[in-house]
Amino acid sequence: MKNVTDSFVFLGHWPSAGSFGFNTDILATNPINLSVVLGVLIFFGKGVLSDLLDNRKQKILKTIRNSEELREGAIEQLEKAQARLRKVEMEADQFRVNGYSEIEREKLNLINSTYKTLEQLENYKNETIHFEQQRAINQVRQRVFQQALQGALEILNSCLTNELHLRTISANIGMFGAMKEITD
C-alpha cells in the first residue's frame, strides 16, 4: 500500500506547466468532484431516466395486459374447441350407435326379404311342377283317348261290313230327319 501512496506523491511533485497539475489530496478533490458530477447527473438525468423508466414500465405493463388478453382469448378458444370436440365425439358416438342399429335393421330386412323371395320361388316351383304334372296328365289322357279311339275305329272297321255300314248311316239319317221335324 505504501508503494501506491508513494506513486501518487511522486506524481504530485512534477513541475507544473502553468495552471495544470495534479491535486494529490484525494480526500479533498474526489468527493467534491463526484458530488458535483452526481448532482448534475441527478438534476439533468433524473427527468430523462424517470421518463425512460416510466416508458419501460408502461411497455412492460402493456405487454403484460396484452399477454393476459391473449391468454384469456386462448383459454376461451381452448374451451370452445373442447366443447366442439365433446359435441363431435357425442355425434360420432351417436352415428356409430345409429350406424350399428341401422346395419342390424338392414341385415334383418335383407334376411326377411330373402326368406320372402325364397318362399315365392318355392311357390313358383310348386306351381310349375303342378302345371307340368297337369300337362303330362293331359298329354297321357289325350294319347290314351287317341289310342282308344283308334282301337275302337279299328274294331268297328273290322266288324263293319258294307251292309252294316249302310244300315247305320240310314238309321242316323232317319234320326236326323226326325229331329228336324220336331224342331220345325
Side-chain angles (χ1 to χ4, degrees), residues 119-181:
E119 230 174 75
Q120 288 174 346
L121 288 173
E122 187 69 25
N123 289 340
Y124 292 149
K125 179 189 82 166
N126 290 338
E127 287 175 7
T128 304
I129 289 172
H130 181 68
F131 176 75
E132 291 296 325
Q133 284 174 347
Q134 289 299 322
R135 197 171 94 188
I137 289 171
N138 286 339
Q139 284 177 350
V140 169
R141 279 184 188 163
Q142 211 172 20
R143 273 207 184 152
V144 167
F145 179 72
Q146 282 177 351
Q147 286 176 356
L149 188 60
Q150 194 173 16
L153 282 175
E154 285 177 8
I155 290 174
L156 280 177
N157 283 336
S158 68
C159 291
L160 279 179
T161 59
N162 278 339
E163 182 186 324
L164 188 59
H165 191 59
L166 286 175
R167 260 195 282 161
T168 307
I169 290 176
S170 296
N172 284 336
I173 290 175
M175 280 190 342
F176 283 130
M179 285 170 68
K180 184 176 178 190
E181 288 177 8

Side-chain angles (χ1 to χ4, degrees), residues 109-123:
N109 288 342
L110 182 62
I111 290 170
N112 290 336
S113 173
T114 304
Y115 281 139
K116 286 179 183 177
T117 304
L118 286 175
E119 230 174 75
Q120 288 174 346
L121 288 173
E122 187 69 25
N123 289 340

Side-chain angles (χ1 to χ4, degrees), residues 10-11 31 44 106 109 117 158:
F10 177 72
L11 287 175
F44 289 112
E106 289 296 322
N109 288 342
T117 304
S158 68

Side-chain angles (χ1 to χ4, degrees), residues 30-165:
N30 279 339
I32 294 171
N33 288 338
L34 286 175
S35 64
V36 169
V37 169
L38 284 177
V40 169
L41 281 177
I42 290 173
F43 182 75
F44 289 112
K46 180 175 142 182
V48 173
L49 186 61
S50 172
D51 288 344
L52 287 174
L53 290 176
D54 284 341
N55 286 341
R56 182 67 182 149
K57 180 181 174 183
Q58 293 301 321
K59 285 181 182 178
I60 290 171
L61 289 175
K62 186 176 179 182
T63 303
I64 290 171
R65 271 188 246 117
N66 287 340
S67 297
E68 286 294 322
E69 289 173 3
L70 289 174
R71 185 176 78 68
E72 289 173 4
I75 289 172
E76 186 177 316
Q77 287 179 350
L78 177 64
E79 288 172 354
K80 286 180 182 178
Q82 286 174 341
R84 280 188 302 223
L85 176 65
R86 282 191 296 273
K87 181 180 176 185
V88 167
E89 284 176 344
M90 287 189 324
E91 287 176 357
D93 289 341
Q94 191 175 20
F95 283 138
R96 197 174 303 120
V97 167
N98 289 343
Y100 289 143
S101 63
E102 184 68 26
I103 288 171
E104 287 297 319
R105 196 171 22 249
E106 289 296 322
K107 180 178 152 186
L108 289 175
N109 288 342
L110 182 62
I111 290 170
N112 290 336
S113 173
T114 304
Y115 281 139
K116 286 179 183 177
T117 304
L118 286 175
E119 230 174 75
Q120 288 174 346
L121 288 173
E122 187 69 25
N123 289 340
Y124 292 149
K125 179 189 82 166
N126 290 338
E127 287 175 7
T128 304
I129 289 172
H130 181 68
F131 176 75
E132 291 296 325
Q133 284 174 347
Q134 289 299 322
R135 197 171 94 188
I137 289 171
N138 286 339
Q139 284 177 350
V140 169
R141 279 184 188 163
Q142 211 172 20
R143 273 207 184 152
V144 167
F145 179 72
Q146 282 177 351
Q147 286 176 356
L149 188 60
Q150 194 173 16
L153 282 175
E154 285 177 8
I155 290 174
L156 280 177
N157 283 336
S158 68
C159 291
L160 279 179
T161 59
N162 278 339
E163 182 186 324
L164 188 59
H165 191 59

